Amino acid sequence: MAEADVELGAEYNKNLSNKVVAANDWLQRSSEMRGILDGFKPGAGTTTYAQLAQKLQAIGAPDDLVNKVAGGDLSATQSLQKFMASSLMSAARQSSEGTPFASEVKNFEANNPSVNSDPRTLKRFIDFYDRISGVAIKENEAQAQAKQAGIYNPGTWQADWQRIAQKQNL
């Protein structure tokens, strides 16, 4: 095995390991977000209604009124906003391979869903990132199996994985 193949494999495996960590992090977040989505009505105006509900809460209005104005559980709206923000930052970091510029984060945020998005959009977004996360995890598992079987070659792994992924329609 050539030294260049070993170096390439080491760098590739480091990147794959980072993708798997990010994938597992995302899957934990998405699992939590799915439950939160059931607690309020996302869509156009959600942020505005949540802000009004916060003002009512600040002046001591009953929780029933606060949640009615918020379109559901105010804490669910706030929680999803936080989950989406941290998920978007994580995805922006991963797509920029490190520390994203402020303009990249702003662009990423503007072009991805929020609590103001149609609920179907939020579900599609979560489903899409779940699928992407699953691909990194499946590659990691396939690589571990190839190593265990003694057929792993760092110089050909990327092409080997592409063949496996295509056969599995990933």
Side-chain angles (χ1 to χ4, degrees):
M1 195 175 310
E3 189 176 319
D5 287 347
V6 172
E7 289 176 22
L8 175 67
E11 184 64 26
Y12 188 84
N13 287 340
K14 179 181 171 190
N15 291 335
L16 178 58
S17 180
N18 289 338
K19 285 180 186 178
V20 170
V21 168
N24 282 317
D25 183 48
W26 166 261
L27 290 171
Q28 289 174 358
R29 283 188 184 128
S30 74
S31 175
E32 195 68 26
M33 284 191 284
R34 288 179 192 284
I36 292 170
L37 277 170
D38 294 334
F40 72 103
K41 183 182 178 237
T46 297
T47 300
T48 302
Y49 292 119
Q51 290 169 344
L52 289 170
Q54 286 174 310
K55 288 176 180 20
L56 287 170
Q57 189 179 52
I59 62 171
D63 284 344
D64 288 350
L65 178 60
V66 169
N67 289 332
K68 187 171 186 166
V69 169
D73 183 353
L74 175 61
S75 70
T77 304
Q78 294 167 330
S79 295
L80 188 69
Q81 285 174 320
K82 301 300 181 207
F83 273 108
M84 292 298 291
S86 70
S87 296
L88 292 174
M89 283 301 298
S90 177
R93 268 190 219 100
Q94 189 174 1
S95 69
S96 68
E97 296 182 2
T99 306
F101 294 108
S103 60
E104 290 176 308
V105 173
K106 186 175 182 179
N107 184 49
F108 204 86
E109 186 178 28
N111 291 302
N112 281 286
S114 71
V115 294
N116 290 320
S117 299
D118 183 293
R120 296 168 294 188
T121 301
L122 290 168
K123 184 179 179 337
R124 285 183 186 126
F125 176 82
I126 292 169
D127 289 346
F128 174 74
Y129 275 96
D130 281 358
R131 280 192 305 279
I132 288 175
S133 295
V135 171
I137 292 167
K138 286 177 183 176
E139 179 180 5
N140 194 49
E141 291 169 354
Q143 189 184 84
Q145 290 171 355
K147 287 177 180 178
Q148 203 169 37
I151 59 172
Y152 172 74
N153 180 337
T156 63
W157 176 252
Q158 291 179 42
D160 296 341
W161 168 244
Q162 290 305 312
R163 280 191 296 280
I164 294 167
Q166 287 175 352
K167 284 181 183 173
Q168 295 180 8
N169 293 319
L170 300 177

